Amino acid sequence: MDYGRFWQAALPVTAVLVLVACSGSDEADDRPVFEKPATSVDYTVTISGLPEEPMLDLAESSLATFRRQEDGAQSLAFLRRRAESDVALVQKLLRSRGYYAGKVDVETVAGTKKPDEDAVQGGEDAPEAAEATVTFTVEPGPAFTLVRHDFRLPGDGTKEGLTPAAFGSPVGVAADAEAIVNAETAAVDDLKNTGFPYARRGKRRAVADLEQAELEIDTPIAPGPLAIFGPVIFEGLDDVRERYLRTYLPWIRGDVFDLSELREYQQALLATDLFETINVRAPKTPPEGGEPVALPVQVVAEERPFRTVSAGARFSTDEGPSITGGFEHRNLFGENETLTVEAELGVQVQSFGVGYREPQYMRPGQDLLGSLVLQREEDDAFDQITATATLGIQRRLTPRWIVGVGGLIEASLIEDNGVDTEAYLGGIPTFAEYDSSDDALDPSEGERLRLELTPFAGVFDGGFAGFLTLDATGSTYYDLFSDRKYIFAARARLASILAEDLEKVPQTRRLYSGGGGSVRGFAQRFVGPLDALNDPIGGLSAAEIGGELRARLFGDLGGTVFVEAGTVGEEILPDFNTGVQVAAGVGFRYFSPAGPIRVDVALPLNPRDADDRFQLYFSIGQAF
């Protein structure tokens, strides 16, 4: 028996058994201490001669000699085997960058390192420990030029447009292996997306001219049979109707098969929020028959629960505490019709709302939306009891653009400084919205823009009221170091009401600023003009701007600093020379699975007598 190999295998198992046996002991001093084998070697490693700087980082991250350096080696012989096995990896790294004639030598030199001086002075036995150096010496040779690269297909061996250069093969320059492989993969993907879903790449044949440092490559590609879309078969549906899912199909039966459209369809079905999992696939092997073959598409779905109950809470020093609750049913009649019920109970605001959404209304990408909201509010600006009903259509033009138009009816009972008035309005709200941000609650990059235009007409305080509201809000997010740790976010708003006079606009529809969603540090609606009782009166124009630096500090904990400013004026255009309120603050973030939980403290930098010294906000989600 080879006792050396036996003990080499048995020692790790024995160590585990000893650890388990000792794990119940409360005495730390009784725990065994394992020393390195007497033959162990510490070592240093260097590599020289690599022709490109990035190759050194790749070598240090991939070679076992570098990766295991801190652990040392069990013996000098073991270290030599480790270093020699890395030679092939260095040569592969050279070839990947076009250096096909490169040579790699490795040398392992044994030595000793001095005993520990503290141990010697303490009178302890301190024998010299083994140490070694590993040196890789690279002679890369010339970078080979790819002088020819051809795709070889059955038949005449060509296909229009399917040339290596068209897919990024480095013909005429350095024979970069990654670019060559990427070109082959892109060509096969192109075939799969243009009617040949079973296309496969064969084994490439490369011929190198060592004297001229030139490389020629032939890549065989088997396209397989031409295919078209056949029937779509659904499995796993219980409450969701097939008819609805078919409205998302990006193809019609008989179209040339496109594998990318399967992925597009799968993503669209996942976005309905109706399924736990869903898989859209074609047969693994082509069915028998002549060309083109009709491929059936199989949709295997697992429905998720359609009902959701939610609850939340928030707090601010100007509005006080409030709790929110909601109920959502996402498949009311079997075609993703969504019913939402939301309620808020707070010190100043109490509201109840019902919403309805019917997707794919009359055409793909178009939704029918309706809502009814009842609200009671007691505020420094005014008190109101309001009922608002809306009905409209919104359409997604692109993955980032949404537009919408609808109708609005609103009835309000308003009490302002002891005077009661009534307002009955009708409106036609329209909007356009752009969103390229990467997260709804905690964006780190991208932009958002929302443009709103709403003409109103009706009766206010016994007389005719007609006005037009324009409101534009935008924000941008920038990841400073591309690691989602430090995010700079900025926000701006510009709004105006085209009206004969401020008094012709109901208080509920005037423009305001201040509070947790606009200029933190000032109370809700408190940016802008105040009346004799120091209550906000609103305005016909508003402008806001703010910047925020967000940071993840320790794990799921983070913080933010921000500066915001705003102005509200009684004229149609904002006046930036007077009445601009500025605030600054800091915040705490806990990044929970449901979104960031935020606590912000903000101070007005130019407070008036009526302004509070600070404001405190607590809610879920970033401020913007």
Side-chain angles (χ1 to χ4, degrees):
M1 175 182 290
D2 188 339
Y3 288 97
R5 290 188 177 181
F6 170 79
W7 287 112
Q8 187 177 10
L11 277 173
V13 177
T14 305
V16 172
L17 293 176
V18 171
L19 285 173
V20 172
C22 297
S23 62
S25 174
D26 294 330
E27 297 295 332
D29 295 336
D30 292 340
R31 297 175 183 174
V33 177
F34 298 99
E35 298 181 354
K36 292 183 178 180
T39 59
S40 66
V41 179
D42 293 331
Y43 67 89
T44 59
V45 56
T46 60
I47 184 168
S48 62
L50 290 174
E52 301 174 15
E53 185 67 27
M55 296 176 68
L56 178 59
D57 295 333
L58 289 173
E60 291 179 347
S61 63
S62 57
L63 300 185
T65 317
F66 280 100
R67 291 188 291 106
R68 302 296 303 277
Q69 184 177 357
E70 291 186 2
D71 301 332
Q74 298 176 11
S75 66
L76 188 62
F78 188 90
L79 176 60
R80 287 196 179 100
R81 289 195 298 270
R82 178 186 294 174
E84 290 168 358
S85 66
D86 278 339
V87 170
L89 195 56
V90 178
Q91 291 173 330
K92 184 176 180 181
L93 179 61
L94 289 170
R95 290 194 297 271
S96 72
R97 303 297 295 174
Y99 298 91
Y100 290 87
K103 297 181 180 179
V104 182
D105 293 322
V106 62
E107 183 180 18
T108 305
V109 178
T112 58
K113 62 181 180 181
K114 295 180 180 180
D116 182 86
E117 294 183 1
D118 293 336
V120 173
Q121 294 176 0
E124 302 177 14
D125 293 334
E128 294 182 341
E131 189 178 56
T133 59
V134 179
T135 304
F136 290 92
T137 304
V138 179
E139 295 181 12
F144 276 53
T145 300
L146 181 63
V147 296
R148 184 181 61 82
H149 187 189
D150 291 328
F151 293 150
R152 299 297 183 184
L153 283 76
D156 62 4
T158 62
K159 183 179 183 296
E160 184 177 355
L162 200 73
T163 60
F167 292 97
S169 182
V171 179
V173 294
D176 185 273
E178 183 179 6
I180 293 170
V181 172
N182 288 344
E184 295 169 341
T185 301
V188 172
D189 289 343
D190 181 74
L191 285 169
K192 290 181 177 180
N193 296 335
T194 56
F196 298 91
Y198 301 101
R200 296 291 184 272
R201 177 183 65 83
K203 185 177 181 180
R204 77 177 65 86
R205 179 176 178 271
V207 177
D209 186 334
L210 299 181
E211 293 184 359
Q212 301 295 325
E214 294 178 345
L215 188 69
E216 297 182 2
I217 296 178
D218 289 311
T219 304
I221 295 179
L226 177 65
I228 60 175
F229 282 106
V232 180
I233 303 166
F234 293 89
E235 295 182 12
L237 299 183
D238 295 322
D239 298 310
V240 179
R241 295 180 181 177
E242 285 186 18
R243 181 181 66 181
Y244 168 66
L245 301 185
R246 292 183 185 275
T247 64
Y248 288 96
L249 285 171
W251 70 82
I252 61 175
R253 186 167 178 171
D255 283 351
V256 173
F257 194 89
D258 185 341
L259 193 62
S260 67
E261 291 188 344
L262 262 63
R263 295 189 290 269
E264 178 186 339
Y265 185 46
Q266 180 169 300
Q267 290 300 318
L269 296 187
L270 281 173
T272 63
D273 210 20
L274 295 175
F275 302 103
E276 205 73 60
T277 60
I278 194 157
N279 189 6
V280 180
R281 61 196 180 203
K284 292 184 178 180
T285 58
E288 296 181 359
E291 294 190 27
V293 294
L295 295 185
V297 176
Q298 188 178 33
V299 180
V300 181
E302 179 185 350
E303 296 178 355
R304 63 175 300 183
F306 304 130
R307 299 170 180 83
T308 301
V309 177
S310 61
R314 61 186 179 190
F315 173 83
S316 65
T317 48
D318 57 343
E319 294 185 277
S322 66
I323 58 174
T324 59
F327 168 80
E328 181 179 74
H329 192 308
R330 291 180 296 278
N331 197 44
L332 204 60
F333 306 119
E335 297 190 5
N336 204 193
E337 302 91 347
T338 301
L339 173 70
T340 57
V341 179
E342 297 178 331
E344 178 179 0
L345 179 61
V347 175
Q348 292 187 353
V349 179
Q350 303 88 46
S351 67
F352 176 82
V354 179
Y356 176 79
R357 170 180 172 268
E358 184 175 325
Q360 304 291 83
Y361 180 71
M362 298 182 69
R363 57 170 292 169
Q366 183 167 278
D367 298 345
L368 175 68
L369 303 172
S371 68
L372 175 63
V373 178
L374 307 177
Q375 179 173 316
R376 180 179 181 272
E377 180 178 9
E378 296 179 356
D379 187 72
D380 289 323
F382 57 86
D383 299 341
Q384 67 166 319
I385 298 176
T386 300
T388 306
T390 62
L391 183 66
I393 290 176
Q394 73 176 25
R395 180 183 301 176
R396 181 171 291 279
L397 301 179
T398 71
R400 295 181 176 181
W401 277 102
I402 297 177
V403 297
V405 62
L408 173 151
I409 299 175
E410 182 174 272
S412 302
L413 176 60
I414 305 168
E415 191 273 324
D416 188 4
N417 292 332
V419 179
D420 292 336
T421 56
E422 297 178 355
Y424 303 95
L425 298 175
I428 305 176
T430 61
F431 76 90
E433 184 174 274
Y434 173 85
D435 189 348
S436 64
S437 62
D438 59 346
D439 191 287
L441 293 177
D442 187 23
S444 64
E445 59 183 11
E447 293 80 34
R448 294 173 181 171
L449 175 66
R450 184 176 177 90
L451 307 173
E452 298 180 358
L453 183 152
T454 307
F456 286 96
V459 177
F460 171 55
D461 196 19
F464 173 78
F467 53 94
L468 175 67
T469 299
L470 305 169
D471 202 333
T473 304
S475 56
T476 184
Y477 311 91
Y478 183 68
D479 189 346
L480 297 179
F481 301 105
S482 301
D483 58 2
R484 290 184 63 90
K485 285 195 66 176
Y486 297 95
I487 310 298
F488 176 73
R491 173 186 176 274
R493 177 197 180 202
L494 186 62
S496 181
I497 296 178
L498 305 183
E500 180 182 351
D501 185 79
L502 180 64
E503 299 300 323
K504 300 292 185 180
V505 180
Q507 290 89 331
T508 55
R509 287 295 170 178
R510 295 175 186 175
L511 296 175
Y512 298 91
S513 182
S518 57
V519 182
R520 287 165 286 179
F522 289 89
Q524 183 79 5
R525 300 190 175 114
F526 254 75
V527 170
L530 307 176
D531 62 16
L533 299 177
N534 284 329
D535 292 333
I537 63 173
L540 297 179
S541 62
E544 299 168 356
I545 190 170
E548 182 169 272
L549 180 62
R550 303 166 182 170
R552 283 181 177 263
L553 302 176
F554 309 102
D556 291 330
L557 301 180
T560 181
V561 294
F562 55 87
V563 177
E564 295 171 336
T567 181
V568 173
E570 298 183 52
E571 302 298 327
I572 293 175
L573 297 178
D575 182 3
F576 297 100
N577 295 322
T578 59
V580 177
Q581 267 79 57
V582 184
V586 297
F588 166 83
R589 300 290 184 271
Y590 170 67
F591 297 95
S592 73
I597 298 174
R598 68 180 177 103
V599 178
D600 291 336
V601 179
L603 311 174
L605 299 184
N606 55 342
R608 301 157 299 184
D609 293 339
D611 293 319
D612 297 325
R613 297 178 60 185
F614 69 93
Q615 297 290 335
L616 175 66
Y617 307 93
F618 171 80
S619 65
I620 295 179
Q622 298 286 6
F624 59 89

